[in-house]
Amino acid sequence: MFSAPEGTRFVLPPEARQRAQLVEKLQKLYDSWGYARVDTPMLEPYAPSHPRAEQSFKLSDRDSGVLSLRSDFTTALSAMVETYFSQEKEPMRFQYAGHLLLAIKNPDLARTREFTQLGLELIGVSNARADAELIHLARESVRAVGLTPRVELGNPGFVQVLFDLAEIPKSQQNSLADAIDRKDEATLESLLTTFSLPHDLYKVLKAVPDLYGGVDILAEAKKLTPWPEARAKLERIEAVLAEFEDDSELLIDLGMARRLSYYTGITFRAYTYDFGQPLLGGGRYDGALMPYAAGFGIGLERLLSALPQKGARTVAEVITLEDIPARALRNAGIWVERALSTDVSEVKAYAKKKGILYLLSEEGLEPLGDKTVPAEYLRLLEAQDG
Amino acid sequence: MDKLILALPKGRVLQDSVTLLTEAGLKLSLSEDDRALTHDSEDVRILVMRNADVPTYVELGVADAGIVGKDVLLESGKTIYEPVDLNISHCRMSLIRPIGATREMRRVASKFPNVTQDFLRKVGSSAEVIKLSGNVELACLTGLADAVVDIVQTGSTLKANRLEEVEVIFYSSARFVVNRAALKLKAARLRPLIATLRTLAKAS
């Protein structure tokens, strides 16, 4: 018997439709802000320098080249920009939506091997206004699907500057950043004591995992930070906040310290109440793939699991023996199934068994169960007659 | 107010955890029925589970926070916050071999295959990892493997079976772990709890 490879699955009705509707909603939002839709090849030349080189699926091409399956949109888009837009001087806005594949070990609920991602990139500009646009759109994305957003900002550049000031050797920075990012006080403390740090740097590095909360946390951080290079990173967050009329629902976490060599500026995540994982994440990665660029990505599967389960229909609402009148209902988006028999009693029996609510025949629209026909449906049919 | 949902491992650690959390000011009640999987008090719900499942519940946010050994957390590879070393359930993860064994390691058995694989990579060994479910020392005694990676608390089992700890891979103790979204969205409850637990852990 066929079984889908681990970490992949078939998308069945009604989920497939719900997914398409979500994607469309978000794409329209991004269209309205001028983010141009683009697509990139599913097959890419394998490059060991690709940020997900190790995790990507590889296959050999017929002429002995190695290909990998798309594992990241941002890298793909940067290749596109380099190839087709290298002469462009003005900022560029792009959006994407599609499948990604990762050859990860032990896929689970939180990490599947095939997933759908949507996202934005704002390329060729680096300022607080651009950062704020993305954060605003991150918030709007969550609202567009009917959830309440709580967006959290950080600036990994802050931790990086502190490392540089403290002259932490490059080889130790990863484990230190990891402890900060996991808010692992015990490990952080034991690592920090292995360096002989000036008291003020020790104090701020030890405190940084706990510098999270509302926007007032920035004032607290500034008290611990006399160094202009480090204060500049905090001031960039303030400049972004200043772009918002109401910044009270934004959250700050200065202990965000993942992928320090990639994210060079503001990073952000969006949460919603009663859901344990971020719905989207992104940030500024100037210099990593392109001179100036920032963006965010949304995992469609995660977004779906955050949404309350709605009872989407799995069978038609109306079954019809008449093709022409059915058009009026279909044009209004009502699911009308065409009967595959012309015998009325046979059609009725079938429809009742399936749970279809109404029958459209020569006699007009009639209920099959105890639900009466909505007046709106009758009006649609009448309007067509007239 | 929303209940705070805590994932706690069943067994000996459960009672220690409940004592500690009560000391930290949470009002908890374990029901008399020891088959109960959930225990509710006014503002806390406790979920009782196998320790290896705690990181999964917390990562997905089904539980807001939990208590789990650093050993289990490292094995799980999950990215969750671990703001407090609770300073209880101390043990060490060690490489264990028959006394005097010097032969190159070809097969290493463990209940912790990911931790073992990481360790072998670090020391540059190409030995194969065999995942077992319990009594892993038996693998050494029977020749199934020529080393095992396992938790050592006192070392008495090792002595009784003529085995020795060759290397300590890391020291472990129980951690208070927190879901990433919960820490931010339920900060009003979790922040003070974390602060109190830190104070208690350092005092003990």
Side-chain angles (χ1 to χ4, degrees):
Chain A
M1 216 184 88
F2 178 85
S3 73
E6 205 185 357
T8 69
R9 56 188 275 265
F10 288 95
V11 180
L12 304 178
E15 187 193 336
R17 184 172 175 210
Q18 199 192 353
R19 289 167 71 106
Q21 287 170 335
L22 270 183
V23 171
E24 204 179 288
K25 246 184 220 167
L26 293 169
Q27 286 177 321
K28 283 187 175 157
L29 169 68
Y30 306 151
D31 287 343
S32 73
W33 280 74
Y35 286 78
R37 297 191 193 192
V38 290
D39 207 349
T40 75
M42 200 70 205
L43 288 173
E44 300 175 339
Y46 169 71
S49 60
H50 190 285
R52 284 182 172 156
E54 265 182 53
Q55 287 182 303
S56 70
F57 281 98
K58 287 115 191 147
L59 44 149
S60 58
D61 203 354
R62 32 197 270 184
D63 58 2
S64 83
V66 179
L67 301 174
S68 56
L69 295 177
R70 184 172 63 201
S71 58
D72 179 48
F73 272 109
T74 303
T75 319
L77 253 71
S78 77
M80 179 194 81
V81 168
E82 198 185 311
T83 314
Y84 298 100
F85 301 96
S86 60
Q87 300 307 312
E88 182 61 57
K89 297 274 184 296
E90 303 301 324
M92 292 171 278
R93 293 178 171 89
F94 295 113
Q95 61 164 308
Y96 56 81
H99 283 226
L100 295 176
L101 287 148
L102 287 176
I104 42 175
K105 236 170 71 177
N106 310 323
D108 59 26
L109 269 177
R111 274 173 293 271
T112 54
R113 304 212 289 180
E114 179 176 26
F115 54 99
T116 304
Q117 199 183 58
L118 288 93
L120 297 182
E121 306 290 346
L122 176 44
I123 297 162
V125 57
S126 179
N127 60 33
R129 217 171 141 72
D131 293 345
E133 175 170 324
L134 289 166
I135 290 160
H136 177 75
L137 279 168
R139 235 170 23 169
E140 288 305 303
S141 304
V142 178
R143 284 203 186 106
V145 302
L147 297 170
T148 307
R150 289 306 299 272
V151 174
E152 178 180 64
L153 279 68
N155 190 346
F158 181 64
V159 170
Q160 184 62 57
V161 167
L162 294 176
F163 284 176
D164 294 342
L165 287 164
E167 293 171 8
I168 310 281
K170 275 268 179 260
S171 59
Q172 307 277 320
Q173 291 191 2
N174 272 349
S175 45
L176 209 54
D178 186 55
I180 290 172
D181 197 67
R182 284 184 291 111
K183 305 202 182 294
D184 179 357
E185 194 208 28
T187 305
L188 178 62
E189 201 173 331
S190 70
L191 285 172
L192 285 177
T193 48
T194 62
F195 310 106
S196 45
L197 297 176
H199 181 69
D200 49 1
L201 271 166
Y202 176 88
K203 205 170 135 194
V204 67
L205 278 168
K206 176 136 186 313
V208 83
D210 290 329
L211 292 174
Y212 64 90
V215 295
D216 44 341
I217 209 76
L218 285 170
E220 202 178 309
K222 278 187 146 175
K223 277 187 226 153
L224 293 165
T225 314
W227 311 276
E229 311 92 301
R231 286 178 85 92
K233 300 295 177 187
L234 302 175
E235 281 151 9
R236 178 64 174 257
I237 301 180
E238 285 176 331
V240 173
L241 293 177
E243 293 282 327
F244 288 85
E245 241 167 66
D246 176 16
D247 62 11
S248 64
E249 61 174 54
L250 292 170
L251 299 165
I252 306 286
D253 185 354
L254 295 174
M256 280 196 207
R258 288 186 65 203
R259 302 179 70 194
L260 281 187
S261 57
Y262 183 81
Y263 285 115
T264 51
I266 300 282
T267 57
F268 53 90
R269 291 191 279 237
Y271 300 107
T272 191
Y273 294 98
D274 296 321
F275 188 69
Q277 295 180 284
L279 297 173
L280 61 86
R284 172 159 300 285
Y285 52 96
D286 291 350
L289 297 162
M290 292 170 275
Y292 303 112
F296 67 79
I298 303 180
L300 184 63
E301 286 75 13
R302 193 171 289 179
L303 198 59
L304 269 166
S305 55
L307 290 172
Q309 293 291 326
K310 268 192 307 197
R313 284 200 74 79
T314 53
V315 294
E317 242 182 290
V318 178
I319 189 157
T320 186
L321 285 153
E322 301 291 313
D323 288 327
I324 294 169
R327 281 183 199 161
L329 299 178
R330 289 200 177 108
N331 287 343
I334 298 159
W335 182 357
V336 183
E337 180 176 322
R338 186 166 171 271
L340 293 172
S341 156
T342 50
D343 179 318
V344 177
S345 57
E346 205 178 299
V347 170
K348 275 190 176 169
Y350 161 83
K352 278 187 180 161
K353 198 172 77 190
K354 290 270 284 196
I356 297 172
L357 301 174
Y358 318 111
L359 170 72
L360 180 60
S361 65
E362 277 182 327
E363 314 292 317
L365 194 56
E366 59 179 290
L368 291 166
D370 37 13
K371 262 198 163 169
T372 54
V373 177
E376 169 65 21
Y377 293 11
L378 295 173
R379 256 201 308 280
L380 286 167
L381 291 169
E382 271 169 36
Q384 177 178 265
D385 286 344
Chain B
M1 189 165 58
D2 273 355
K3 278 192 183 185
L4 196 63
I5 303 171
L6 301 177
L8 302 182
K10 63 182 176 189
R12 197 159 30 99
V13 187
L14 180 61
Q15 201 47 59
D16 291 351
S17 304
V18 169
T19 311
L20 195 62
L21 291 166
T22 309
E23 254 182 274
L26 288 189
K27 290 189 179 61
L28 306 176
S29 58
L30 285 188
S31 73
E32 298 287 305
D33 186 353
D34 60 11
R35 290 165 305 177
L37 300 173
T38 62
H39 303 268
D40 284 270
S41 57
E42 199 181 324
D43 53 1
V44 183
R45 157 170 284 186
I46 293 175
L47 314 176
V48 181
M49 60 190 67
R50 283 279 297 270
N51 61 4
D53 295 334
V54 172
T56 306
Y57 275 77
V58 174
E59 185 190 42
L60 292 174
V62 178
D64 297 317
I67 290 179
V68 70
K70 179 73 179 174
D71 50 344
V72 175
L73 190 55
L74 277 174
E75 176 65 22
S76 77
K78 305 282 187 200
T79 48
I80 50 184
Y81 291 134
E82 39 178 313
V84 193
D85 180 349
L86 293 171
N87 207 6
I88 56 172
S89 304
H90 289 276
C91 62
R92 49 191 190 266
M93 182 75 74
S94 295
L95 179 71
I96 298 156
R97 303 198 67 180
I99 292 173
T102 52
R103 204 170 73 121
E104 185 200 357
M105 292 185 292
R106 299 227 176 113
R107 281 197 301 222
V108 182
S110 185
K111 274 194 290 187
F112 301 84
N114 297 328
V115 163
T116 306
Q117 195 65 262
D118 273 356
F119 167 72
L120 292 174
R121 206 176 298 132
K122 266 183 210 140
V123 298
S125 163
S126 63
E128 194 184 339
V129 178
I130 305 168
K131 160 123 174 80
L132 294 178
S133 309
N135 288 355
V136 287
E137 284 73 11
L138 190 60
C140 254
L141 300 176
T142 55
L144 173 68
D146 36 25
V148 302
V149 166
D150 203 16
I151 294 297
V152 180
Q153 243 152 353
T154 61
S156 56
T157 315
L158 300 185
K159 252 186 215 122
N161 290 294
R162 302 183 41 76
L163 297 169
E164 64 180 350
E165 247 178 305
V166 180
E167 189 171 343
V168 176
I169 301 173
F170 58 81
Y171 290 90
S172 169
S173 53
R175 302 297 165 104
F176 183 69
V177 291
V178 184
N179 170 266
R180 288 188 169 241
L183 182 68
K184 312 303 172 57
L185 301 182
K186 294 189 176 179
R189 299 199 61 189
L190 285 166
R191 265 197 109 115
L193 178 60
I194 289 167
T196 317
L197 286 173
R198 279 178 178 167
T199 316
L200 288 172
K202 277 177 187 148
S204 68

PDB file of all heavy atoms in Angstrom, chain A residues 36-58:
ATOM      1  N   ALA A  36       4.998  42.814  -5.247  1.00  0.00           N
ATOM      2  CA  ALA A  36       4.783  42.113  -6.515  1.00  0.00           C
ATOM      3  C   ALA A  36       4.957  40.612  -6.319  1.00  0.00           C
ATOM      4  O   ALA A  36       5.895  40.164  -5.657  1.00  0.00           O
ATOM      5  CB  ALA A  36       5.775  42.624  -7.556  1.00  0.00           C
ATOM      6  N   ARG A  37       4.022  39.844  -6.902  1.00  0.00           N
ATOM      7  CA  ARG A  37       4.116  38.388  -6.764  1.00  0.00           C
ATOM      8  C   ARG A  37       5.223  37.827  -7.640  1.00  0.00           C
ATOM      9  O   ARG A  37       5.362  38.213  -8.805  1.00  0.00           O
ATOM     10  CB  ARG A  37       2.796  37.728  -7.179  1.00  0.00           C
ATOM     11  CG  ARG A  37       1.642  38.144  -6.294  1.00  0.00           C
ATOM     12  CD  ARG A  37       0.430  37.280  -6.573  1.00  0.00           C
ATOM     13  NE  ARG A  37      -0.751  37.869  -5.961  1.00  0.00           N
ATOM     14  CZ  ARG A  37      -1.916  37.233  -5.839  1.00  0.00           C
ATOM     15  NH1 ARG A  37      -2.041  35.997  -6.314  1.00  0.00           N
ATOM     16  NH2 ARG A  37      -2.941  37.815  -5.267  1.00  0.00           N
ATOM     17  N   VAL A  38       6.011  36.930  -7.091  1.00  0.00           N
ATOM     18  CA  VAL A  38       7.037  36.236  -7.874  1.00  0.00           C
ATOM     19  C   VAL A  38       7.040  34.758  -7.473  1.00  0.00           C
ATOM     20  O   VAL A  38       6.493  34.384  -6.446  1.00  0.00           O
ATOM     21  CB  VAL A  38       8.463  36.812  -7.639  1.00  0.00           C
ATOM     22  CG1 VAL A  38       8.596  38.193  -8.254  1.00  0.00           C
ATOM     23  CG2 VAL A  38       8.821  36.848  -6.161  1.00  0.00           C
ATOM     24  N   ASP A  39       7.621  33.949  -8.335  1.00  0.00           N
ATOM     25  CA  ASP A  39       7.779  32.533  -8.011  1.00  0.00           C
ATOM     26  C   ASP A  39       9.215  32.145  -8.364  1.00  0.00           C
ATOM     27  O   ASP A  39       9.837  32.786  -9.187  1.00  0.00           O
ATOM     28  CB  ASP A  39       6.781  31.698  -8.814  1.00  0.00           C
ATOM     29  CG  ASP A  39       6.436  30.406  -8.090  1.00  0.00           C
ATOM     30  OD1 ASP A  39       7.130  30.070  -7.093  1.00  0.00           O
ATOM     31  OD2 ASP A  39       5.496  29.729  -8.520  1.00  0.00           O
ATOM     32  N   THR A  40       9.716  31.132  -7.696  1.00  0.00           N
ATOM     33  CA  THR A  40      11.098  30.719  -7.964  1.00  0.00           C
ATOM     34  C   THR A  40      11.103  29.222  -8.251  1.00  0.00           C
ATOM     35  O   THR A  40      10.172  28.516  -7.864  1.00  0.00           O
ATOM     36  CB  THR A  40      12.009  31.012  -6.745  1.00  0.00           C
ATOM     37  OG1 THR A  40      11.747  30.031  -5.735  1.00  0.00           O
ATOM     38  CG2 THR A  40      11.802  32.403  -6.186  1.00  0.00           C
ATOM     39  N   PRO A  41      12.140  28.723  -8.961  1.00  0.00           N
ATOM     40  CA  PRO A  41      12.145  27.298  -9.315  1.00  0.00           C
ATOM     41  C   PRO A  41      12.198  26.393  -8.078  1.00  0.00           C
ATOM     42  O   PRO A  41      12.819  26.732  -7.079  1.00  0.00           O
ATOM     43  CB  PRO A  41      13.428  27.128 -10.129  1.00  0.00           C
ATOM     44  CG  PRO A  41      13.846  28.501 -10.505  1.00  0.00           C
ATOM     45  CD  PRO A  41      13.313  29.424  -9.479  1.00  0.00           C
ATOM     46  N   MET A  42      11.521  25.248  -8.195  1.00  0.00           N
ATOM     47  CA  MET A  42      11.547  24.252  -7.125  1.00  0.00           C
ATOM     48  C   MET A  42      12.912  23.555  -7.111  1.00  0.00           C
ATOM     49  O   MET A  42      13.360  23.069  -6.085  1.00  0.00           O
ATOM     50  CB  MET A  42      10.441  23.235  -7.419  1.00  0.00           C
ATOM     51  CG  MET A  42      10.004  22.442  -6.239  1.00  0.00           C
ATOM     52  SD  MET A  42       9.088  23.441  -5.057  1.00  0.00           S
ATOM     53  CE  MET A  42       9.383  22.494  -3.585  1.00  0.00           C
ATOM     54  N   LEU A  43      13.545  23.479  -8.273  1.00  0.00           N
ATOM     55  CA  LEU A  43      14.876  22.875  -8.375  1.00  0.00           C
ATOM     56  C   LEU A  43      15.922  23.972  -8.381  1.00  0.00           C
ATOM     57  O   LEU A  43      15.806  24.944  -9.123  1.00  0.00           O
ATOM     58  CB  LEU A  43      14.999  22.083  -9.675  1.00  0.00           C
ATOM     59  CG  LEU A  43      14.229  20.777  -9.764  1.00  0.00           C
ATOM     60  CD1 LEU A  43      14.329  20.218 -11.177  1.00  0.00           C
ATOM     61  CD2 LEU A  43      14.747  19.755  -8.764  1.00  0.00           C
ATOM     62  N   GLU A  44      16.936  23.816  -7.560  1.00  0.00           N
ATOM     63  CA  GLU A  44      18.003  24.821  -7.505  1.00  0.00           C
ATOM     64  C   GLU A  44      19.339  24.117  -7.634  1.00  0.00           C
ATOM     65  O   GLU A  44      19.462  22.960  -7.227  1.00  0.00           O
ATOM     66  CB  GLU A  44      17.959  25.538  -6.145  1.00  0.00           C
ATOM     67  CG  GLU A  44      16.647  26.257  -5.875  1.00  0.00           C
ATOM     68  CD  GLU A  44      16.565  26.855  -4.480  1.00  0.00           C
ATOM     69  OE1 GLU A  44      17.317  26.397  -3.589  1.00  0.00           O
ATOM     70  OE2 GLU A  44      15.754  27.767  -4.281  1.00  0.00           O
ATOM     71  N   PRO A  45      20.334  24.820  -8.196  1.00  0.00           N
ATOM     72  CA  PRO A  45      21.663  24.191  -8.195  1.00  0.00           C
ATOM     73  C   PRO A  45      22.140  24.066  -6.747  1.00  0.00           C
ATOM     74  O   PRO A  45      21.977  25.007  -5.977  1.00  0.00           O
ATOM     75  CB  PRO A  45      22.531  25.174  -8.980  1.00  0.00           C
ATOM     76  CG  PRO A  45      21.772  26.449  -9.010  1.00  0.00           C
ATOM     77  CD  PRO A  45      20.332  26.141  -8.820  1.00  0.00           C
ATOM     78  N   TYR A  46      22.675  22.921  -6.391  1.00  0.00           N
ATOM     79  CA  TYR A  46      23.132  22.732  -5.015  1.00  0.00           C
ATOM     80  C   TYR A  46      24.336  23.631  -4.736  1.00  0.00           C
ATOM     81  O   TYR A  46      25.282  23.667  -5.514  1.00  0.00           O
ATOM     82  CB  TYR A  46      23.505  21.272  -4.775  1.00  0.00           C
ATOM     83  CG  TYR A  46      24.221  21.071  -3.455  1.00  0.00           C
ATOM     84  CD1 TYR A  46      23.532  21.189  -2.259  1.00  0.00           C
ATOM     85  CD2 TYR A  46      25.588  20.798  -3.413  1.00  0.00           C
ATOM     86  CE1 TYR A  46      24.178  21.040  -1.051  1.00  0.00           C
ATOM     87  CE2 TYR A  46      26.255  20.638  -2.209  1.00  0.00           C
ATOM     88  CZ  TYR A  46      25.546  20.770  -1.022  1.00  0.00           C
ATOM     89  OH  TYR A  46      26.181  20.623   0.167  1.00  0.00           O
ATOM     90  N   ALA A  47      24.273  24.399  -3.630  1.00  0.00           N
ATOM     91  CA  ALA A  47      25.407  25.251  -3.243  1.00  0.00           C
ATOM     92  C   ALA A  47      25.722  25.000  -1.777  1.00  0.00           C
ATOM     93  O   ALA A  47      24.858  25.192  -0.926  1.00  0.00           O
ATOM     94  CB  ALA A  47      25.062  26.719  -3.466  1.00  0.00           C
ATOM     95  N   PRO A  48      26.953  24.582  -1.480  1.00  0.00           N
ATOM     96  CA  PRO A  48      27.295  24.314  -0.082  1.00  0.00           C
ATOM     97  C   PRO A  48      27.164  25.553   0.808  1.00  0.00           C
ATOM     98  O   PRO A  48      27.029  25.428   2.019  1.00  0.00           O
ATOM     99  CB  PRO A  48      28.760  23.868  -0.149  1.00  0.00           C
ATOM    100  CG  PRO A  48      29.020  23.530  -1.571  1.00  0.00           C
ATOM    101  CD  PRO A  48      28.075  24.333  -2.398  1.00  0.00           C
ATOM    102  N   SER A  49      27.177  26.752   0.190  1.00  0.00           N
ATOM    103  CA  SER A  49      27.093  27.980   0.981  1.00  0.00           C
ATOM    104  C   SER A  49      25.654  28.354   1.331  1.00  0.00           C
ATOM    105  O   SER A  49      25.413  29.276   2.101  1.00  0.00           O
ATOM    106  CB  SER A  49      27.723  29.126   0.195  1.00  0.00           C
ATOM    107  OG  SER A  49      27.030  29.285  -1.026  1.00  0.00           O
ATOM    108  N   HIS A  50      24.677  27.644   0.754  1.00  0.00           N
ATOM    109  CA  HIS A  50      23.261  27.920   1.031  1.00  0.00           C
ATOM    110  C   HIS A  50      23.000  27.730   2.529  1.00  0.00           C
ATOM    111  O   HIS A  50      23.473  26.760   3.124  1.00  0.00           O
ATOM    112  CB  HIS A  50      22.402  26.948   0.215  1.00  0.00           C
ATOM    113  CG  HIS A  50      20.934  27.268   0.230  1.00  0.00           C
ATOM    114  ND1 HIS A  50      20.152  27.019   1.320  1.00  0.00           N
ATOM    115  CD2 HIS A  50      20.126  27.813  -0.712  1.00  0.00           C
ATOM    116  CE1 HIS A  50      18.909  27.403   1.045  1.00  0.00           C
ATOM    117  NE2 HIS A  50      18.868  27.886  -0.181  1.00  0.00           N
ATOM    118  N   PRO A  51      22.249  28.664   3.155  1.00  0.00           N
ATOM    119  CA  PRO A  51      22.047  28.549   4.613  1.00  0.00           C
ATOM    120  C   PRO A  51      21.408  27.225   5.042  1.00  0.00           C
ATOM    121  O   PRO A  51      21.565  26.798   6.179  1.00  0.00           O
ATOM    122  CB  PRO A  51      21.139  29.740   4.956  1.00  0.00           C
ATOM    123  CG  PRO A  51      20.763  30.386   3.678  1.00  0.00           C
ATOM    124  CD  PRO A  51      21.660  29.888   2.608  1.00  0.00           C
ATOM    125  N   ARG A  52      20.673  26.580   4.132  1.00  0.00           N
ATOM    126  CA  ARG A  52      20.070  25.299   4.498  1.00  0.00           C
ATOM    127  C   ARG A  52      20.652  24.147   3.680  1.00  0.00           C
ATOM    128  O   ARG A  52      19.984  23.133   3.443  1.00  0.00           O
ATOM    129  CB  ARG A  52      18.559  25.353   4.325  1.00  0.00           C
ATOM    130  CG  ARG A  52      17.912  26.133   5.443  1.00  0.00           C
ATOM    131  CD  ARG A  52      16.421  26.133   5.302  1.00  0.00           C
ATOM    132  NE  ARG A  52      15.794  26.711   6.479  1.00  0.00           N
ATOM    133  CZ  ARG A  52      14.583  27.261   6.460  1.00  0.00           C
ATOM    134  NH1 ARG A  52      13.894  27.301   5.357  1.00  0.00           N
ATOM    135  NH2 ARG A  52      14.077  27.750   7.570  1.00  0.00           N
ATOM    136  N   ALA A  53      21.906  24.320   3.241  1.00  0.00           N
ATOM    137  CA  ALA A  53      22.531  23.309   2.382  1.00  0.00           C
ATOM    138  C   ALA A  53      22.438  21.911   2.990  1.00  0.00           C
ATOM    139  O   ALA A  53      22.115  20.944   2.305  1.00  0.00           O
ATOM    140  CB  ALA A  53      23.985  23.685   2.126  1.00  0.00           C
ATOM    141  N   GLU A  54      22.696  21.828   4.299  1.00  0.00           N
ATOM    142  CA  GLU A  54      22.712  20.512   4.929  1.00  0.00           C
ATOM    143  C   GLU A  54      21.337  19.890   4.999  1.00  0.00           C
ATOM    144  O   GLU A  54      21.178  18.685   4.958  1.00  0.00           O
ATOM    145  CB  GLU A  54      23.250  20.636   6.364  1.00  0.00           C
ATOM    146  CG  GLU A  54      24.722  20.361   6.474  1.00  0.00           C
ATOM    147  CD  GLU A  54      25.189  20.447   7.912  1.00  0.00           C
ATOM    148  OE1 GLU A  54      24.584  19.773   8.766  1.00  0.00           O
ATOM    149  OE2 GLU A  54      26.148  21.208   8.160  1.00  0.00           O
ATOM    150  N   GLN A  55      20.315  20.757   5.164  1.00  0.00           N
ATOM    151  CA  GLN A  55      18.969  20.248   5.399  1.00  0.00           C
ATOM    152  C   GLN A  55      18.181  20.005   4.127  1.00  0.00           C
ATOM    153  O   GLN A  55      17.058  19.525   4.192  1.00  0.00           O
ATOM    154  CB  GLN A  55      18.189  21.258   6.240  1.00  0.00           C
ATOM    155  CG  GLN A  55      18.620  21.312   7.692  1.00  0.00           C
ATOM    156  CD  GLN A  55      17.772  22.302   8.444  1.00  0.00           C
ATOM    157  OE1 GLN A  55      17.703  23.475   8.069  1.00  0.00           O
ATOM    158  NE2 GLN A  55      17.108  21.848   9.492  1.00  0.00           N
ATOM    159  N   SER A  56      18.749  20.380   2.955  1.00  0.00           N
ATOM    160  CA  SER A  56      17.935  20.285   1.750  1.00  0.00           C
ATOM    161  C   SER A  56      18.006  18.890   1.134  1.00  0.00           C
ATOM    162  O   SER A  56      18.967  18.157   1.321  1.00  0.00           O
ATOM    163  CB  SER A  56      18.382  21.333   0.733  1.00  0.00           C
ATOM    164  OG  SER A  56      19.644  20.994   0.228  1.00  0.00           O
ATOM    165  N   PHE A  57      16.951  18.530   0.408  1.00  0.00           N
ATOM    166  CA  PHE A  57      16.961  17.280  -0.359  1.00  0.00           C
ATOM    167  C   PHE A  57      17.816  17.489  -1.596  1.00  0.00           C
ATOM    168  O   PHE A  57      17.694  18.510  -2.265  1.00  0.00           O
ATOM    169  CB  PHE A  57      15.540  16.922  -0.818  1.00  0.00           C
ATOM    170  CG  PHE A  57      14.710  16.306   0.258  1.00  0.00           C
ATOM    171  CD1 PHE A  57      13.814  17.075   0.984  1.00  0.00           C
ATOM    172  CD2 PHE A  57      14.814  14.950   0.542  1.00  0.00           C
ATOM    173  CE1 PHE A  57      13.036  16.499   1.981  1.00  0.00           C
ATOM    174  CE2 PHE A  57      14.042  14.368   1.536  1.00  0.00           C
ATOM    175  CZ  PHE A  57      13.147  15.146   2.261  1.00  0.00           C
ATOM    176  N   LYS A  58      18.680  16.535  -1.898  1.00  0.00           N
ATOM    177  CA  LYS A  58      19.535  16.667  -3.073  1.00  0.00           C
ATOM    178  C   LYS A  58      19.196  15.585  -4.075  1.00  0.00           C
ATOM    179  O   LYS A  58      18.826  14.485  -3.703  1.00  0.00           O
ATOM    180  CB  LYS A  58      21.020  16.549  -2.703  1.00  0.00           C
ATOM    181  CG  LYS A  58      21.566  17.754  -1.968  1.00  0.00           C
ATOM    182  CD  LYS A  58      21.966  17.377  -0.584  1.00  0.00           C
ATOM    183  CE  LYS A  58      22.266  18.570   0.298  1.00  0.00           C
ATOM    184  NZ  LYS A  58      21.881  18.275   1.686  1.00  0.00           N
TER     185      LYS A  58
END
